[in-house]
Amino acid sequence: MFRRRIQKFAANLTNSSKHPFLWYSTRSSSAVLFQKLKKSERKPLVTSINELKRTARLRAKAKQNVEENSLQPPANGLPVKGLVPIAHEVYAARSELFSCISTVIKRSIVHSCRVCGEVHIGHPPHKIRTCNVAGSAPNKEHTWEIGGIQHVFPTVESFHLYDRIGRAVSHNEQLQVDRIPAVVELCIQAGVDIPEYPTRRRTFPIYNVAGRTVDFEKRFPKKFTLEKGINSYGFWNDKKRVCADTLSINSDDLKETAIKGMELWDKMISGTEKLMKTYGVQTCGYCSEVQVGPKGHRVRNCQAYKHQMRDGQHAWQEATVDDLMPPVYVWHVQDVHSSEPLLNNLKRYYGVLPAVVELFAQAGANVGERYTSFMKKDVVVPELDEINLVV
């Protein structure tokens, strides 16, 4: 048995020699990815504080000069034409991805902890004692129950803006403005037109004079409706375009569906990253609130650390892809057919993956290089009686 495991370890080293930078030490515990920020800790800034101060000084200095400043898309209200096809791809990939997840999850078992919300994919659920929240058991063991797609792929919502460079949503308007998935709102602002959520498409740019925004275009009435003569898909309309909501996965092959879903996941992640480099997305530094647009809203519903000092307002900062699509990390199960659960004593030998990726990996999909280092493929999980022999 031990000789067979040594041969397996040598084979893994040979396979991983092609990508030596992906080696993952067993001494760096994967449990770090499961740790959440403390209530008093703020999310790390994407842009350094010194760079933010420098930008603020330049903005204040520009307001003193009474001159007209020409803005570039999308700051001038016009969409970036090069990103419109990417926005359509992300929107279509998200719709198809839901179909793939729904198909695969019917043949898999998803467990969710009733106390801390940790997720495990596969049966039996693991016995790693990481339930360390208020109300958990003294031994930190999880209380498992059957989960669903909302645990694997949670949805983060954002206020839908009719005019992305208009004024922010006030506190009194929070019940009058629709909340939609943040990724969908990002695609809408980047060029995707959805009749249920109309948005303003300018034909003339706005200007900035002494720090003030000047819009020479005639405003639409507040009660805006899409008439028959208005093209709801804008100047980039393609006659061959297919509505993403009508797409569905009809294949009965589970592995084929998982491979397709993995491709859609990578396409959605990479496309969202490209959109966020140009279209601003804001998140609260202390809670999970997200607002797609150049600035955050003014709704005072933050209940995080020291919200009384901010009168319930959010501490807005630049968001990342993880804020729009939170990565629900789960323990990676190398042997899907094994009936033995993952043990707490061997947790440093286990890898982790986002829940969506783990779901497709157990169905037979190949995980790309993005997550290879997370899986710990170069690590052979020893038996309990072999732990003392591991260096």
Side-chain angles (χ1 to χ4, degrees), residues 91-92 94-96 99 194-196 241-248:
Y91 180 71
R94 181 181 180 275
S95 301
E96 292 184 82
S99 301
I194 303 177
E196 293 80 5
R241 180 178 180 272
V242 180
C243 182
D245 295 335
T246 61
L247 295 174
S248 59

Side-chain angles (χ1 to χ4, degrees), residues 14 21 26 35 39 114 125 160 175 191 225 238 251-252 280 294 303 314 331 348 375 377:
T14 305
F21 57 89
T26 58
Q35 296 179 358
K39 293 183 179 180
R114 189 185 308 165
H160 170 60
L175 300 179
T225 56
D238 186 1
S251 176
D252 294 333
Q303 299 181 0
H314 297 277
W331 294 99
R348 69 170 182 165
M375 300 173 62
K377 283 187 173 181

Side-chain angles (χ1 to χ4, degrees), residues 161-371:
L161 302 180
Y162 169 70
D163 188 0
R164 66 177 304 273
I165 59 175
R167 62 180 182 86
V169 179
S170 64
H171 182 74
N172 297 330
E173 296 175 338
Q174 58 178 322
L175 300 179
Q176 303 175 5
V177 182
D178 295 329
R179 288 183 66 87
I180 62 177
V183 179
V184 177
E185 174 64 17
L186 179 63
C187 296
I188 292 175
Q189 294 187 14
V192 177
D193 288 277
I194 303 177
E196 293 80 5
Y197 305 106
T199 185
R200 184 178 181 184
R201 303 295 185 193
R202 286 181 171 83
T203 56
F204 297 96
I206 65 172
Y207 298 89
N208 187 279
V209 179
R212 294 185 177 182
T213 300
V214 180
D215 189 1
F216 297 101
E217 188 179 86
K218 184 179 180 180
R219 292 183 176 273
F220 291 116
K222 293 183 178 180
K223 296 182 180 180
F224 174 75
T225 56
L226 289 174
E227 301 294 342
K228 294 182 179 180
I230 299 179
N231 185 5
S232 61
Y233 296 107
F235 57 86
W236 50 84
N237 180 26
D238 186 1
K239 295 182 179 180
K240 298 181 180 180
R241 180 178 180 272
V242 180
C243 182
D245 295 335
T246 61
L247 295 174
S248 59
I249 305 298
N250 297 322
S251 176
D252 294 333
D253 190 354
L254 184 63
K255 183 176 180 179
E256 181 181 350
T257 305
I259 295 175
K260 179 64 176 179
M262 194 66 204
E263 295 176 355
L264 295 171
W265 171 262
D266 292 336
K267 182 184 296 185
M268 186 181 66
I269 294 294
S270 60
T272 304
E273 290 176 347
K274 294 178 182 178
L275 295 178
M276 292 182 64
K277 290 181 181 179
T278 304
Y279 291 89
V281 181
Q282 310 299 320
T283 183
C284 181
Y286 296 99
C287 70
S288 59
E289 184 69 13
V290 170
Q291 179 59 57
V292 181
K295 52 181 174 291
H297 60 73
R298 298 178 182 176
V299 179
R300 300 187 297 271
N301 58 356
C302 183
Q303 299 181 0
Y305 177 70
K306 289 187 177 181
H307 64 90
Q308 299 89 345
M309 301 180 62
R310 294 177 271 112
D311 194 18
Q313 295 185 3
H314 297 277
W316 296 110
Q317 65 183 46
E318 186 179 356
T320 62
V321 180
D322 292 343
D323 296 315
L324 267 71
M325 292 171 287
V328 183
Y329 287 105
V330 298
W331 294 99
H332 173 56
V333 180
Q334 295 185 4
D335 189 2
V336 183
H337 304 287
S338 177
S339 59
E340 297 293 332
L342 304 182
L343 302 178
N344 184 70
N345 297 335
L346 303 176
K347 63 181 179 181
R348 69 170 182 165
Y349 301 99
Y350 301 138
V352 296
L353 281 177
V356 176
V357 180
E358 175 67 15
L359 183 68
F360 293 147
Q362 292 189 14
N366 184 22
V367 179
E369 294 185 358
R370 182 194 293 264
Y371 306 104

